[in-house]
Amino acid sequence: MSLQKPTPVAVAVALLLSATALQAQQAQAPEKTLSTVIVNSSADASAQGLSQPYAGGQVARGGRAGILGTRDNMETPFSITSYTNEFIQDRQARSVGEVLLNDPSVRVARGFGNFQESYFIRGFILNSDDVAYNGLYSLLPRQYIATELFERVEVLRGASAFLTGANPGGGGVGGAINLLPKRAPNEPLNRVTVGTGSGGYGQVAADIARRFGPDGATGIRVNAAYRDGGTSVDDEKGTLGLASVGLDWRSRDVRLSGDVGYQENRLKRTRPNVTLAGADVTSVPAPPEGSTNFAQPWTFSNERDLFGTFRGEWDLSPALTAWAAYGHRSSEEANSLANLTVTNSSTGAGNQFRFDNLREDQVNTGEAGLRWKGRTGSVGHEVVAAAGRFSGKIDTSFNFNFANLLFTNLSNPSFFAAPPLAPLPPLANTGTTRLTSYALGDTLALFEDRLLLTLGARHQQVDLTSFGTRTDESRTSPAVGAVWRASRQLSLYANYMEGLTHGETVPFTFIDSTGTARSTANGGAALPPGTAKQGEIGLKYDGGDFGAGVAAFSITKPRFTIDTVSGVGAAGGKDRHQGLEATVFGAPARGVRLLGGATWLDTEQLETGLGSTQGKRVIGVPEFQASLDAEWDVPAARGLTFDARVTYTGSRFADAENTLKVPGWTRLDLGARYLMDVSGRIVTLRGRVDNVTDRNYWSSVGGFPGAGYLVVGAPRTFTLSASVDF
């Protein structure tokens, strides 16, 4: 498989042509001042449009609650945070994971064996495969999603099966992530951003938008970006190119929107994961220097994705609205990998072996529904009926070289020529996923609309095939949610939800009882689906300029085990996560903005059948984690803002028996931006330093069920950028 590298010239030409064509539609640039620019996004294919920003502009007042549509946070029996594009730009976030560094209920990890982003939400793993785009799953690039492709990041905490249906990758038990596409604002937009950072990294991006026709009924927004260069880790390099076009059209009764996007991400010598195994591993080794790279020089990971989506909404009457959506993604991957297994925790000695693979994905997904609003006497109703369908096909080709181990060291690595490997076999189908679901719900407004009671159910069918094994299960799952508006400032809520979640996929390798890496007897097999259950109660406060929330929850999810003698993976036991979350957001004082909170988690492995794991904590999940981000507008220097973020993650375990304890860590990040007027054009300069104290730490543990691999945190990292609106 050949993945062609996009050239800077091609991207630059595309940017120039787009800018020229759109600039011709505008006779002159609008007047710009140093005051904060507030852009009201046009309606997408939804009468509700985007939820309005909250005070401070970092998060929105609400977000999309699945089939219930966009809801105000105070009227939703769920916990939702929607991070705005303004906040994403100001933190110079380059991926979904970098945005979610600010979320106290989320911790970013890595997928198994590669460099895919994964997210622990309430301690449960959600892979980037399971991220939704405008309400539809698995449409965006599978391993890494650049921020230029979306407007907002919405985090819906807790089980979401009734609201969004089953996730194709089996995640979504602890929460869901939905990315909203960019739409043309009501005012013309011309923005070019250039940036650089540690390791000689450089980037250029353009964001151009216009509205046309009577009342600006038609909108187009074009985004393109190119990144190239090194990182703060020695010898790591990456190249990313992307382009996307978002279109929307609206009339009195009909709203349409569509998106087409392309992203190619090429990684070279990216530092891999670290697995601990062997009789000489009695503790977790100290992390190496943050800049140390133990990746072999021949390793790489390339991914190319093409995706598109269409959504329409039609008001059949003032009370009845119909909607439908469809999306498709085609992707290709090629990798040569060599993860590190440390076999001696005192010396850091270990080994690597070569693993090559190819992969192609084809995804088709869609949904349709009806929403009716009305009253029966004093009771208000918002009834929704929806149907969804997901179809995914995976073709792979891979080969391991266990026999040719490369002996190296965590802190003082050795490097080798690429070991010989037999030619990869032709691509063959190794997995299909077919999900079908039907949902019906009603939100009742009682007692002069102070009590909002949501009752619903979703019937789900999960049909999976993986490496010759097939599972086919169906179930109807209930959902109940209630919100009591005690006052304009205070809401109390509760919910109970169940959902059919498809079984885990057995990994291809595992570490046996002697500490040796072995192939799993039924690697790749899809285990039977199970039912996840959640109960939650919470309190929300909205003081106008400052908001807060607290939630207590209990979630259970089926799990799997691997017999370390036979090497067979099977369904068995469950994980229970109980916890308490606290969040804060908004502008508590003039020129000051706060965002963050804390999460306490009590996790247990239950019904495992093994005394060594029964009742023990779940791999990779801390008992306590917290994030707090603060901004301050300097009164004496108009346009100058400083920000600081403190992130804390408690200790975690790297094994199911809880014998390998990974220390917790605290990280300090600092940033500044300056907004100024240069010849009538708004220029924003941004700079930040992440990991200011240059701390060495294990940033994450695990990211795949049952696996406790480690990821080394990045060292002190500098980024600088300049954006010009013209």
Side-chain angles (χ1 to χ4, degrees):
M1 180 185 300
S2 174
L3 293 175
Q4 297 298 322
K5 179 178 179 179
T7 66
V9 174
V11 175
V13 170
L15 293 174
L16 180 60
L17 291 175
S18 298
T20 303
L22 291 174
Q23 186 67 28
Q25 303 296 325
Q26 183 182 19
Q28 59 183 16
E31 181 181 354
K32 296 178 173 65
T33 68
L34 275 176
S35 61
T36 302
V37 179
I38 300 176
V39 177
N40 295 316
S41 297
S42 62
D44 192 2
S46 164
Q48 301 158 316
L50 285 178
S51 179
Q52 293 300 306
Y54 194 76
Q58 298 179 324
V59 298
R61 298 198 62 86
R64 175 173 290 167
I67 60 174
L68 301 182
T70 301
R71 293 291 185 91
D72 186 277
N73 193 42
M74 298 294 287
E75 298 179 351
T76 306
F78 314 100
S79 177
I80 302 175
T81 300
S82 181
Y83 298 94
T84 66
N85 192 254
E86 177 183 348
F87 180 71
I88 294 168
Q89 290 183 69
D90 287 341
R91 293 303 174 271
Q92 299 187 78
R94 291 179 285 179
S95 71
V96 175
E98 292 187 13
V99 178
L100 295 179
L101 289 172
N102 303 278
D103 196 296
S105 66
V106 181
R107 284 298 176 262
V108 181
R110 277 230 189 115
F112 185 70
N114 54 24
F115 309 107
Q116 177 184 38
E117 284 192 343
S118 294
Y119 318 98
F120 282 99
I121 308 179
R122 290 185 172 176
F124 290 100
I125 298 166
L126 178 82
N127 288 322
S128 54
D129 303 64
D130 287 341
V131 169
Y133 185 54
N134 209 9
L136 297 177
Y137 286 125
S138 198
L139 290 182
L140 290 171
R142 193 181 77 87
Q143 300 225 26
Y144 179 91
I145 308 170
T147 52
E148 288 88 353
L149 293 173
F150 54 84
E151 176 75 21
R152 287 185 180 175
V153 179
E154 296 184 332
V155 179
L156 171 62
R157 300 177 185 88
S160 57
F162 165 67
L163 300 173
T164 61
N167 295 60
V173 176
I177 297 174
N178 182 45
L179 308 182
L180 295 181
K182 291 184 174 181
R183 294 287 171 254
N186 292 324
E187 297 299 326
L189 174 65
N190 303 294
R191 178 175 297 145
V192 173
T193 301
V194 295
T196 188
S198 298
Y201 155 85
Q203 71 164 357
V204 58
D207 189 356
I208 304 166
R210 294 291 186 278
R211 301 209 67 84
F212 308 94
D215 300 322
T218 301
I220 179 172
R221 189 160 179 176
V222 177
N223 278 266
Y226 184 78
R227 309 175 189 171
D228 193 18
T231 74
S232 54
V233 176
D234 294 342
D235 301 316
E236 273 192 357
K237 293 190 180 299
T239 301
L240 182 143
L242 67 85
S244 67
V245 179
L247 301 168
D248 71 282
W249 176 83
R250 62 196 185 204
S251 69
R252 187 185 65 176
D253 299 324
V254 177
R255 293 159 294 278
L256 304 174
S257 70
D259 300 272
V260 176
Y262 172 86
Q263 176 181 291
E264 184 165 359
N265 191 28
R266 304 171 64 89
L267 304 176
K268 183 177 181 181
R269 207 172 179 177
T270 300
R271 183 167 59 194
N273 306 331
V274 177
T275 298
L276 307 178
D280 292 327
V281 174
T282 57
S283 62
V284 176
E289 292 290 329
S291 59
T292 301
N293 191 355
F294 38 82
Q296 293 300 319
W298 39 266
T299 56
F300 68 90
S301 179
N302 298 336
E303 181 191 21
R304 181 168 59 195
D305 297 88
L306 178 66
F307 63 90
T309 179
F310 174 81
R311 182 174 288 271
E313 189 174 271
W314 182 16
D315 297 330
L316 302 174
S317 73
L320 183 63
T321 297
W323 84 87
Y326 169 77
H328 173 80
R329 172 173 64 88
S330 296
S331 67
E332 299 176 356
E333 298 177 29
N335 306 280
S336 186
L337 308 170
N339 288 346
L340 172 63
T341 298
V342 170
T343 56
N344 189 307
S345 53
S346 298
T347 66
N351 59 70
Q352 297 171 285
F353 62 86
R354 182 177 174 182
F355 167 48
D356 286 11
N357 76 293
L358 303 175
R359 172 169 169 154
E360 293 184 355
D361 285 54
Q362 296 289 325
V363 171
N364 290 280
T365 182
E367 68 172 5
L370 290 168
R371 183 178 294 112
W372 175 79
K373 294 183 179 180
R375 303 192 72 87
T376 56
S378 61
V379 179
H381 295 271
E382 186 168 340
V383 179
V384 60
R389 174 74 172 176
F390 178 92
S391 175
K393 177 176 177 287
I394 302 171
D395 294 334
T396 61
S397 173
F398 57 89
N399 203 351
F400 300 89
N401 191 344
F402 288 126
N404 196 342
L405 293 180
L406 309 176
F407 294 96
T408 184
N409 189 279
L410 175 66
S411 298
N412 186 24
S414 300
F415 304 109
F416 306 86
L421 191 68
L424 292 176
L427 287 165
N429 178 247
T430 53
T432 59
T433 301
R434 295 183 178 88
L435 308 176
T436 305
S437 66
Y438 306 92
L440 180 64
D442 185 9
T443 298
L444 297 87
L446 307 165
F447 304 109
E448 298 180 342
D449 297 351
R450 295 185 66 183
L451 174 63
L452 302 177
L453 179 63
T454 300
L455 305 173
R458 183 180 286 268
H459 179 79
Q460 297 172 268
Q461 181 176 1
V462 176
D463 184 352
L464 304 175
T465 302
S466 182
F467 290 88
T469 64
R470 183 182 179 188
T471 62
D472 189 354
E473 299 268 348
S474 62
R475 195 162 302 163
T476 300
S477 304
V480 180
V483 178
W484 172 253
R485 295 298 307 267
S487 67
R488 292 184 61 183
Q489 291 79 31
L490 197 63
S491 289
L492 293 83
Y493 76 93
N495 65 65
Y496 174 80
M497 302 183 76
E498 294 183 5
L500 184 65
T501 177
H502 72 61
E504 308 289 358
T505 299
V506 179
F508 294 101
T509 62
F510 75 103
I511 306 300
D512 67 14
S513 56
T514 67
T516 304
R518 286 172 46 193
S519 294
T520 314
N522 57 338
L527 299 178
T531 300
K533 301 178 181 180
Q534 171 190 282
E536 178 181 355
I537 58 173
L539 182 68
K540 300 177 182 180
Y541 169 77
D542 182 356
D545 293 327
F546 185 71
V550 62
F553 58 86
S554 178
I555 307 173
T556 60
K557 174 186 179 295
R559 59 175 290 124
F560 78 97
T561 59
I562 295 179
D563 187 308
T564 58
V565 177
S566 66
V568 175
K574 63 182 179 180
D575 289 340
R576 183 180 67 191
H577 295 206
Q578 296 176 317
L580 181 69
E581 289 172 349
T583 56
V584 294
F585 52 90
R590 183 180 178 87
V592 175
R593 291 168 289 281
L594 293 178
L595 178 63
T599 300
W600 292 261
L601 284 164
D602 177 20
T603 64
E604 286 187 281
Q605 304 172 59
L606 300 175
E607 301 172 16
T608 65
L610 299 172
S612 60
T613 58
Q614 176 67 23
K616 299 296 178 65
R617 282 168 53 186
V618 175
I619 290 174
V621 183
E623 290 183 328
F624 179 72
Q625 59 191 42
S627 303
L628 183 62
D629 186 288
E631 278 192 353
W632 177 52
D633 297 334
V634 181
R638 187 167 179 246
L640 178 63
T641 300
F642 292 118
D643 68 80
R645 177 176 62 207
V646 177
T647 305
Y648 172 79
T649 300
S651 62
R652 300 135 292 167
F653 285 102
D655 64 326
E657 293 77 19
N658 289 187
T659 61
L660 298 175
K661 190 173 185 179
V662 183
W665 54 272
T666 303
R667 198 179 91 179
L668 172 65
D669 307 324
L670 298 176
R673 67 180 181 272
Y674 183 57
L675 183 69
M676 57 184 175
D677 188 313
V678 178
S679 300
R681 297 173 179 173
I682 295 178
V683 176
T684 307
L685 304 178
R686 298 181 176 93
R688 66 183 301 101
V689 183
D690 291 329
N691 193 6
V692 172
T693 61
D694 202 21
R695 173 165 186 162
N696 301 324
Y697 65 102
W698 295 112
S699 65
S700 66
V701 180
F704 187 92
Y709 50 85
L710 311 177
V711 175
V712 181
R716 183 187 294 122
T717 302
F718 301 88
T719 53
L720 295 170
S721 70
S723 296
V724 181
D725 288 18
F726 58 91

